[in-house]
């Protein structure tokens, strides 16, 4: 049953996180700090990876790509949100909203795939160490990263195309802080049941199946670690896996809550809070988690601080 046909929507108005000026000022400061921490922290990881020859391993190659992805991810939505917190007119054109929806979804899907690839890397390193350098070489790593990006860009294109082909004829108030697919879908003046089913199936393929593969990989990893005799080797293995598991738990936990619940049962105010975790909080925490929990990264940071010019060569 279509909604009442009004004027064709050419722009959307963000409802945002709050309409109170004082709260908006506080939120602006908080999210500006989050954004700067995310960009600076992830740029530092990329710079250290490029400058330190001791970090030229597949694990840190994937981490540097994850850091680049996180910078792109937060840059697709936070700048628009910061502008909206400072202005009374929180509008975005239909074409800009479509672009934001496409890139934010593509970056989110890429993160799902990349976290799965990183789990595979840890599985090979711990469970099959003799084959590791042969199987997980630089060429293979590059191909896996490129496949993650290509698959996500294509998947996002499919979902976006289906969403944007729906009629949008008002109201045009978007109950979100960025153009998120399910929020835009709620404004379509047509039956969206089929598209919601398609998005649910995509969620299973893109979110849930990689998550199960990660869990399976870590089941084998845990079994292998427990059989190790050396306490030092066990500690190092748990350390390298702990960083990745922490990121996976935060990112996948919130993404599954967001995309694998029927929309009719999922309050939009709750969706905004959940979305903040995988679009803002996780990218900010990634460099902190990896730099604080990884001994190799901490040593590399110390070496970089002793020769700061090397980071910019």
């Amino acid at each position: 049953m279509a909604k009442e046909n009004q004027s064709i929507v050419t722009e959307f108005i963000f409802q945002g996180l709050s309409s109170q000026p004082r709260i908006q000022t506080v939120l602006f400061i908080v999210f500006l700090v989050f954004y700067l921490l995310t960009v600076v922290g992830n740029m530092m990881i990329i710079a250290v990876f490029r400058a330190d020859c001791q970090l030229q391993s597949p694990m840190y190659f994937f981490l540097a790509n994850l850091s680049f992805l996180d910078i792109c991810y937060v840059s697709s939505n936070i700048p628009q949100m910061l502008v909206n917190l400072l202005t009374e007119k929180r509008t975005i054109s239909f074409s800009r909203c479509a672009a934001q929806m496409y890139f934010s979804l593509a970056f989110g899907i890429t993160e799902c795939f990349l976290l799965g690839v990183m789990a595979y890397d840890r599985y090979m390193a711990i469970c099959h160490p003799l084959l590791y350098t042969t199987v997980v070489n630089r060429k293979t790593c590059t191909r896996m990263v490129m496949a993650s990006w290509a698959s996500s860009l294509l998947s996002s294109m499919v979902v976006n195309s289906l969403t944007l082909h729906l009629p949008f004829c008002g109201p045009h108030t978007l109950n979100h802080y960025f153009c998120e697919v399910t929020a835009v879908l709620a404004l379509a003046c047509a039956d969206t049941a089929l598209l919601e089913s398609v998005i649910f199936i995509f969620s299973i393929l893109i979110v849930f199946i990689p998550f199960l593969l990660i869990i399976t990989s870590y089941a084998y990893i845990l079994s292998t670690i427990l059989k190790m005799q050396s306490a030092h080797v066990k500690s190092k293995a748990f350390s390298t896996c702990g960083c990745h598991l922490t990121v996976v738990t935060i990112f996948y936990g919130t993404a599954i809550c967001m995309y694998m619940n029927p929309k009719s049962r999922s309050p939009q105010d709750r969706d905004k809070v959940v979305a903040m975790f995988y679009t803002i909080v996780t990218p900010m925490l990634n460099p902190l988690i990896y730099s604080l929990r990884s001994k190799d990264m901490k040593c590399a940071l110390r070496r970089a601080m002793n020769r700061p010019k090397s980071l910019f060569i």
Side-chain angles (χ1 to χ4, degrees), residues 73 108-109 112 180 203 206-208 211 248-261 270 274-275 277-279 282:
Y73 202 1
I109 295 172
C112 288
E180 196 270 334
S203 300
I206 293 168
V207 179
F208 195 61
F211 181 69
V248 166
T249 301
I250 298 172
F251 182 82
Y252 271 98
T254 53
I256 288 172
C257 288
M258 185 73 176
Y259 287 100
M260 299 197 68
N261 278 329
R270 191 214 68 172
V274 172
F277 277 92
Y278 65 83
T279 61
T282 303

Side-chain angles (χ1 to χ4, degrees), residues 24-147:
Q24 286 180 345
T25 302
V26 173
L27 289 175
F28 175 82
I29 296 171
V30 170
F31 289 117
L32 178 60
V33 171
F34 279 10
Y35 181 64
L36 293 175
L37 285 175
T38 302
V39 173
V40 172
N42 283 292
M43 285 184 67
M44 182 65 71
I45 286 181
I46 295 171
V48 170
F49 167 75
R50 288 174 59 87
D52 199 305
C53 59
Q54 295 186 36
L55 294 184
Q56 303 305 306
S57 66
M59 182 175 72
Y60 292 105
F61 172 76
F62 292 133
L63 178 56
N65 278 276
L66 180 65
S67 294
F68 173 73
L69 172 63
D70 284 337
I71 293 172
C72 296
Y73 202 1
V74 294
S75 297
S76 69
N77 54 71
I78 292 186
Q80 178 68 55
M81 181 178 66
L82 293 175
V83 171
N84 293 338
L85 288 170
L86 290 180
T87 58
E88 293 183 6
K89 189 179 180 182
R90 308 174 184 176
T91 60
I92 185 171
S93 67
F94 188 88
S95 58
R96 285 182 60 199
C97 183
Q100 187 183 60
M101 185 168 64
Y102 172 76
F103 286 111
S104 61
L105 181 61
F107 295 145
I109 295 172
T110 306
E111 184 133 358
C112 288
F113 291 151
L114 200 52
L115 289 174
V117 167
M118 293 174 75
Y120 172 74
D121 169 68
R122 292 298 84 208
Y123 164 75
M124 288 299 300
I126 294 173
C127 298
H128 302 283
L130 297 179
L131 296 174
Y132 181 65
T133 54
T134 304
V135 175
V136 190
N137 51 50
R138 190 59 177 262
K139 188 175 181 180
T140 303
C141 293
T142 303
R143 285 178 176 175
M144 287 193 288
V145 170
M146 290 177 66

Side-chain angles (χ1 to χ4, degrees), residues 123-286:
Y123 164 75
M124 288 299 300
I126 294 173
C127 298
H128 302 283
L130 297 179
L131 296 174
Y132 181 65
T133 54
T134 304
V135 175
V136 190
N137 51 50
R138 190 59 177 262
K139 188 175 181 180
T140 303
C141 293
T142 303
R143 285 178 176 175
M144 287 193 288
V145 170
M146 290 177 66
S148 298
W149 277 96
S151 301
S152 63
L153 292 172
L154 181 60
S155 300
S156 182
M157 185 182 298
V158 172
V159 174
N160 256 36
S161 297
L162 293 173
T163 302
L164 297 176
H165 272 83
L166 293 170
F168 294 91
C169 45
H172 56 291
T173 301
L174 199 65
N175 188 15
H176 219 293
Y177 60 88
F178 76 104
C179 289
E180 196 270 334
V181 173
T182 54
V184 174
L185 191 62
L187 301 183
C189 52
D191 185 5
T192 61
L194 179 60
L195 184 51
E196 287 180 11
S197 299
V198 171
I199 292 175
F200 183 76
I201 293 170
F202 263 78
S203 300
I204 293 175
L205 296 174
I206 293 168
V207 179
F208 195 61
I209 290 180
F211 181 69
L212 286 179
L213 291 175
I214 291 172
I215 295 300
T216 303
S217 296
Y218 273 102
Y220 283 107
I221 288 171
L222 180 61
S223 175
T224 302
I225 291 175
L226 293 177
K227 294 176 184 177
M228 293 177 177
Q229 300 297 322
S230 171
H232 174 71
V233 174
K234 281 185 179 181
S235 176
K236 186 174 182 180
F238 275 122
S239 177
T240 58
C241 293
C243 303
H244 183 249
L245 271 177
T246 304
V247 173
V248 166
T249 301
I250 298 172
F251 182 82
Y252 271 98
T254 53
I256 288 172
C257 288
M258 185 73 176
Y259 287 100
M260 299 197 68
N261 278 329
K263 191 61 187 171
S264 59
R265 301 179 189 176
S266 182
Q268 288 189 330
D269 287 338
R270 191 214 68 172
D271 284 354
K272 286 189 283 188
V273 175
V274 172
M276 284 172 57
F277 277 92
Y278 65 83
T279 61
I280 299 174
V281 176
T282 303
M284 181 190 67
L285 290 179
N286 281 352

